Amino acid sequence: MARPDDANVASPAELKERLDAERGGEPFLLYRDGDGQRIVGLGAAGERFSVGRDAAMDLALDDDQVSLLHAELQRVGGQWTVVDDGLSRNGTFLNGERTSGRRRLRDGDELRFGETVVVFRDAVSVEAGETAAAPDAPRVELTDSQRRILLALCRPYRDGSAYATPATNRQIADEVFLSVDAVKGHLRVLFERFGLGEIPQNQKRVKLVEVAMQRGVINIRDL
């Protein structure tokens, strides 16, 4: 399947349309259907943008593998995210990985709904640049389950309260629909991934929240 932003499959008119959309400065979605290239602007979309097979959706896709209401894009603090909280039967994929919950979108990210690949474009975010990671902080790769557990652990810090404490194992288990024992196992792996294996047990949870946020693995907007 060709990428929708592949210049090798785009006609001169489609390339011009794409360049015009990029110069407009607003984020947009780019995909192809039976009639060719499609560009859908997000600048005037408000805070929520629905995706599905139903004609009433903001992005209505003619794809039998797409649910009537498949997923949503949500704008949070000027940044776009994709949300699929079990809305769809076949799931939503971001850069080849099935998503769960909310994931931030970056320029060039590929979303797949059913068999339809949609590219998110936001040139402004590229010009603004990403937050720089600390030079001594290696990138931590997380599975989807590990990320969901880390998000749940950090959730109490969403409102910025000075008295917030990390979520308990039971609270995490209830949110991510896993057993408490499974949560404990994932947390042990996360402590090791973030280099916290030697920290006293009663400090690990708070330190994990702190380090995950410092490195940008978890952002307040994600919560």
Side-chain angles (χ1 to χ4, degrees), residues 198-214:
E198 302 303 318
I199 291 179
Q201 191 66 32
N202 63 345
Q203 299 177 22
K204 284 183 177 180
R205 301 168 74 87
V206 172
K207 191 63 177 177
L208 179 56
V209 172
E210 178 184 332
V211 172
M213 290 188 172
Q214 284 178 344

Side-chain angles (χ1 to χ4, degrees), residues 93-183:
F93 292 78
L94 174 60
N95 298 325
E97 178 185 353
R98 185 163 183 163
T99 66
S100 177
R102 183 194 307 272
R103 297 286 297 275
R104 180 187 168 191
L105 296 176
R106 294 170 172 81
D107 181 65
D109 277 349
E110 285 188 1
L111 293 161
R112 180 163 65 80
F113 310 107
E115 293 188 325
T116 304
V117 176
V118 178
V119 175
F120 173 78
R121 297 304 315 271
D122 186 5
V124 173
S125 69
V126 175
E127 294 169 3
E130 297 288 345
T131 302
D136 59 347
R139 180 179 177 85
V140 178
E141 299 292 342
L142 301 178
T143 66
D144 185 61
S145 293
Q146 289 166 353
R147 179 172 175 78
R148 289 191 295 124
I149 286 170
L150 190 53
L151 281 168
L153 180 75
C154 299
R155 191 84 61 195
Y157 293 82
R158 174 176 49 197
D159 299 324
S161 171
Y163 303 101
T165 58
T168 66
N169 290 338
R170 170 52 61 190
Q171 289 170 328
I172 296 171
D174 289 344
E175 178 173 335
V176 301
F177 303 106
L178 291 174
S179 69
V180 170
D181 285 341
V183 169

Side-chain angles (χ1 to χ4, degrees), residues 181-203:
D181 285 341
V183 169
K184 289 179 179 178
H186 281 296
L187 284 173
R188 284 194 292 269
V189 173
L190 287 169
F191 294 146
E192 294 297 328
R193 289 277 176 90
F194 284 86
L196 306 178
E198 302 303 318
I199 291 179
Q201 191 66 32
N202 63 345
Q203 299 177 22

